[in-house]
Amino acid sequence: MKRIIISTLIILSVLSCKKDHPVDGDGLLITPRQECYVSNFELLGADYVTVLTKQPVIDTTAQTVSVIVQFGTDLKNLFPQFTLATDCKLDPKIVGKVDFSDLANPKEYNVISGNRQISKTYKVLITVQPR
Amino acid sequence: MQQSYIRYISAAIFLVSTTIGCTKKEYKIPTPKDVLQNDCIKRTQGPNIVGQTIEFAYAMAILPEKGKLTNAKVEATIDGAAGTWMENNSYYTNNTGVDVGISVGSTSVTTKNVTTVTFNKDTNAATLRYYYVIPDQARGQSVSFTFSAESSDGETVSYKMGPYTIANMDMKKGINLTDGGLMYISIADMAAYNATDAAAKAGSIDLVYLYRNITTSAFNFALVSPAADPQYLPGVTLPTGVNRSTYERKVFNLQDYNLAQMQYGIYIDDPDFQQLNMTNDPNYAINLKQEAGVWVETADHKYRAYVYFNTASTTTKNAVIGIKRYTL
């Protein structure tokens, strides 16, 4: 009887240690999803109010996000916000203000799919509205 | 045997707990202390700014059969500025919620740091309000208050309040701006000038106020440095010598209570200015509106300020602003 109980406990503990849900280096769940794209984009000014004059144009083939910002926008102090396909993640991470003032060299962000197998680089193209 | 013990003990605990639980304590009206008593509250909130008032409500009472109040006194550790006084009215709130004042003493007398009210009515309980106008010499220091009362039977009682830190910053409200008129703002003077006066004070003009209704872009109300790109100063000819560059950062939803006097309990205090880093900020702020604000740092890094738009009228092109300023 004792042997049966001990064996059951060992089997249960081994089973409980098995990892069903793998996570990546950021502690995020790795899933089977292969979708890898930007679905929406927002750009906030230093006052946390949008600086976009209209909806962004996202080209998932050319992998670009094109936006027009208001005249007078302080391009050095902007907060970008990406909406990605389910389970995707962004690299580099956005941790604060971003300087978008170098319009000749647009900022690039990698979108990585849920299964972490696909990576696509998106460029953020900014145009300043004329006065 | 063991089971019967457990049964007896359980029954005993049950009986004791029900007996204690059923004891009814009769409410008794508390007996008032038969000595002169006092209490005090501070009525104002937020930072203590030079030129502003700190308000207290000081309550004192003695049993009628023991005597009456003769005088109330407040001693501040730093002399209050002109306008420091104590009310000689004691207030009660009537049925409609209005505070009604009843005169209980002579007008307060302030000598240096001591303010006194002498009671001239038979009063055995009163709450007097004390208004301390913060003097310039208290800037950056701490100030404390000792409230005291005396009764006809010779008793005295006192209550200490504070210490309260007095902010380093200054504040000025109700600065009128007019597009094409009083549009040149000096942070050092916390004032707005017209072009003629601005030319005479060219070295201290930090911002230019303007309103433009441009159909192709959102320009609206703006505070722009004289040295900013001329595209942010459309139609403005700067007075001779007005050329400073000021760091600016637009803010929305920061309705400081002292400046805005609105329902929001937000206060900008010295630490907010101390922690500000504006080295990467532009020298213009456009598309402003009523209730918007702008953090500012002057070109000589002498002042940091918060400029708040109380009103901004698109029809008259006028605005009223308030400034909180911190000297670095």
Side-chain angles (χ1 to χ4, degrees):
Chain A
M1 182 65 179
K2 265 187 184 175
R3 273 186 197 165
I4 294 168
I5 293 169
I6 289 165
S7 322
T8 314
L9 281 172
I10 289 167
I11 291 164
L12 281 173
S13 58
V14 169
L15 282 175
S16 69
C17 289
K18 194 182 167 190
K19 261 190 179 177
D20 282 327
H21 307 293
V23 291
D24 64 9
D26 294 323
L28 298 171
L29 205 61
I30 298 172
T31 67
R33 290 182 190 275
Q34 295 183 4
E35 295 89 348
C36 184
Y37 59 89
V38 173
S39 56
N40 200 8
F41 182 76
E42 178 61 277
L43 205 50
L44 305 179
D47 54 358
Y48 304 105
V49 177
T50 184
V51 295
L52 301 185
T53 58
K54 54 184 177 183
Q55 285 296 309
V57 177
I58 300 164
D59 186 333
T60 51
T61 310
Q63 292 164 210
T64 56
V65 176
S66 304
V67 293
I68 300 173
V69 299
Q70 290 168 349
F71 168 74
T73 298
D74 172 19
L75 296 174
K76 284 186 177 177
N77 297 293
L78 293 173
F79 295 98
Q81 291 180 339
F82 286 86
T83 306
L84 308 175
T86 310
D87 296 342
C88 288
K89 71 172 187 177
L90 197 69
D91 182 46
K93 296 183 187 76
I94 297 161
V95 291
K97 289 177 185 174
V98 179
D99 184 351
F100 283 93
S101 60
D102 187 0
L103 297 178
N105 296 297
K107 286 270 174 204
E108 293 184 354
Y109 290 90
N110 292 320
V111 180
I112 302 162
S113 64
N115 63 7
R116 305 294 183 257
Q117 301 299 310
I118 304 162
S119 173
K120 289 184 179 175
T121 305
Y122 275 73
K123 279 185 181 178
V124 179
L125 307 171
I126 293 179
T127 308
V128 180
Q129 179 191 38
R131 193 180 77 192
Chain B
M1 186 67 179
Q2 211 173 16
Q3 275 187 342
S4 62
Y5 272 134
I6 292 167
R7 216 174 288 159
Y8 283 131
I9 289 165
S10 312
I13 291 169
F14 176 76
L15 277 172
V16 169
S17 57
T18 44
T19 312
I20 292 168
C22 289
T23 309
K24 230 187 182 181
K25 279 187 180 173
E26 286 294 327
Y27 174 74
K28 282 181 185 170
I29 296 168
T31 315
K33 289 179 190 169
D34 62 349
V35 290
L36 176 63
Q37 294 178 77
N38 65 355
D39 201 353
C40 190
I41 57 164
K42 182 171 176 275
R43 282 170 59 89
T44 43
Q45 293 181 318
N48 305 304
I49 306 167
V50 170
Q52 302 297 303
T53 302
I54 309 178
E55 185 186 338
F56 297 91
Y58 179 54
M60 62 222 99
I62 186 168
L63 290 175
E65 55 270 27
K66 289 217 57 181
K68 59 184 181 180
L69 300 169
T70 55
N71 70 71
K73 198 165 69 178
V74 190
E75 190 175 343
T77 51
I78 299 171
D79 299 4
T84 295
W85 70 299
M86 194 179 208
E87 281 207 36
N88 55 344
N89 289 331
S90 183
Y91 286 88
Y92 73 93
T93 308
N94 69 9
N95 294 339
T96 53
V98 177
D99 283 354
V100 180
I102 294 174
S103 173
V104 290
S106 54
T107 309
S108 68
V109 177
T110 301
T111 311
K112 289 192 171 179
N113 62 332
V114 179
T115 302
T116 311
V117 165
T118 305
F119 288 90
N120 56 15
K121 301 271 170 67
D122 281 356
T123 309
N124 67 300
T127 300
L128 303 184
R129 293 176 187 180
Y130 171 63
Y131 305 90
Y132 178 77
V133 180
I134 303 168
D136 197 44
Q137 66 262 35
R139 189 187 299 279
Q141 298 184 49
S142 286
V143 61
S144 301
F145 302 89
T146 306
F147 291 81
S148 59
E150 206 174 321
S151 60
S152 59
D153 64 345
E155 279 187 82
T156 56
V157 71
S158 67
Y159 202 103
K160 283 192 184 299
M161 294 293 281
Y164 303 104
T165 304
I166 306 303
N168 272 305
M169 65 183 169
D170 291 293
M171 182 171 74
K172 188 156 181 198
K173 295 193 280 188
I175 301 169
N176 289 300
L177 303 176
T178 49
D179 186 18
L182 296 168
M183 58 186 288
Y184 300 98
I185 302 164
S186 165
I187 297 297
D189 299 349
M190 292 206 284
Y193 299 105
N194 60 24
T196 313
D197 293 339
K201 291 176 166 281
S204 66
I205 300 300
D206 303 292
L207 301 167
V208 181
Y209 162 79
L210 64 156
Y211 170 76
R212 295 290 180 272
N213 182 14
I214 297 171
T215 50
T216 49
S217 64
F219 196 96
N220 298 318
F221 296 91
L223 290 178
V224 181
S225 289
D229 190 316
Q231 68 174 330
Y232 301 118
L233 290 164
V236 175
T237 306
L238 294 170
T240 314
V242 174
N243 58 8
R244 299 186 95 190
S245 183
T246 311
Y247 296 100
E248 294 182 58
R249 187 186 301 168
K250 258 191 338 179
V251 190
F252 201 61
N253 278 335
L254 182 53
Q255 295 98 331
D256 172 80
Y257 185 81
N258 295 124
L259 295 172
Q261 294 287 303
M262 296 177 84
Q263 72 273 28
Y264 310 103
I266 308 168
Y267 293 91
I268 292 172
D269 206 344
D270 286 352
D272 297 304
F273 291 109
Q274 289 158 3
Q275 289 160 19
L276 209 57
N277 179 0
M278 301 192 68
T279 48
N280 208 24
D281 284 299
N283 59 359
Y284 61 89
I286 67 167
N287 197 17
L288 301 170
K289 54 183 173 181
Q290 189 168 312
E291 291 187 40
V294 181
W295 290 106
V296 170
E297 185 172 327
T298 57
D300 55 8
H301 303 289
K302 197 174 173 189
Y303 299 108
R304 283 183 186 150
Y306 181 70
V307 182
Y308 177 78
F309 275 77
N310 294 89
T311 62
S313 166
T314 52
T315 47
T316 61
K317 300 182 180 182
N318 296 346
V320 177
I321 58 165
I323 301 176
K324 269 187 173 179
R325 183 193 68 180
Y326 182 83
T327 307
L328 294 167

